[in-house]
Amino acid sequence: MKLACCMIMGATAAIPTVKLNNGVEMPLISLGTWQYNSTVAEATVKLGMKVGFNHIDTAHTYENQDGVGRALAGLDRKSYFLTTKVPAPSTTKYYDETNQYLSDDLKFLNLDQVDLMLLHFPPKTNDCAVMQEQWRAMEDFYKAGKAKAIGVSNYCISSLECIAEKATVTPAVNQVEFHIGM
């Protein structure tokens, strides 16, 4: 029953988009892959693409990016929008560790570029210097052409203000988790 609804939705309704602050068009509805292993993520993304989803959301900490990458392999790169996220660093080498996560994400997804790269959560310490170093790594990733847009996820106003103190690129998105019916 749910699949039939999705197939009808995908076949009859275009997913609306929003223009980000740098001109990139982002679909407003995405297919999320949280809590899926690689096999389930691969199957879900393949089915989602067939029924009309064109925005896929994954993250480094979901540990399923290889499955998402397999599902998207061979598709026209212009046919989908891919968002992924990197975690807060666990060492004191904030910039370097964030760079490593960014590189790993591209490798796991088997892509040269993502549409939107996000910092998944602020660091647990809420340390402004850590956020600024992470954001510097994100800006370098963006300026190297490895992401069409960059942003944050689950950041509060004070965290955004901290990033803004040194940012040369304004976050395009602050993705906040929301579930219909919850």
Side-chain angles (χ1 to χ4, degrees):
M1 181 68 148
K2 288 182 182 179
L3 178 58
C5 293
C6 291
M7 292 175 84
I8 291 168
M9 184 267 315
T12 62
I15 295 174
T17 63
V18 64
K19 188 177 284 194
L20 302 179
N21 62 357
N22 66 352
V24 170
E25 291 281 335
M26 179 183 79
L28 288 172
I29 299 172
S30 68
L31 184 143
T33 61
W34 180 49
Q35 296 186 329
Y36 294 161
N37 65 33
S38 292
T39 303
V40 173
E42 179 179 1
T44 302
V45 170
K46 283 181 178 179
L47 179 60
M49 293 297 292
K50 285 181 184 175
V51 301
F53 281 93
N54 63 348
H55 183 175
I56 308 301
D57 180 275
T58 189
H60 191 90
T61 56
Y62 299 174
E63 298 180 351
N64 62 16
Q65 292 178 313
D66 59 330
V68 171
R70 285 192 305 274
L72 297 173
L75 295 177
D76 179 355
R77 185 58 186 91
K78 295 177 184 173
S79 70
Y80 63 89
F81 187 98
L82 182 68
T83 297
T84 190
K85 300 173 275 300
V86 295
S90 59
T91 69
T92 57
K93 296 180 180 180
Y94 314 123
Y95 178 88
D96 293 338
E97 189 173 353
T98 302
N99 268 330
Q100 186 62 55
Y101 287 140
L102 294 165
S103 295
D104 288 349
D105 278 6
L106 291 178
K107 183 177 118 188
F108 297 148
L109 292 161
N110 197 26
L111 293 172
D112 296 324
Q113 182 187 57
V114 296
D115 297 289
L116 179 61
M117 180 64 78
L118 304 174
L119 293 175
H120 205 162
F121 288 97
K124 290 180 182 177
T125 61
N126 223 18
D127 183 326
C128 186
V130 175
M131 287 183 240
Q132 290 171 341
E133 280 297 285
Q134 276 199 284
W135 189 251
R136 186 169 66 90
M138 293 283 282
E139 289 180 332
D140 289 347
F141 189 77
Y142 172 73
K143 291 173 184 175
K146 295 178 182 180
K148 292 181 184 176
I150 55 175
V152 296
S153 180
N154 304 300
Y155 274 54
C156 65
I157 291 171
S158 65
S159 296
L160 290 169
E161 289 171 342
C162 163
I163 288 172
E165 289 175 12
K166 294 196 175 183
T168 61
V169 177
T170 301
V173 170
N174 183 10
Q175 181 190 67
V176 180
E177 187 175 351
F178 180 76
H179 300 272
I180 296 172
M182 291 180 77

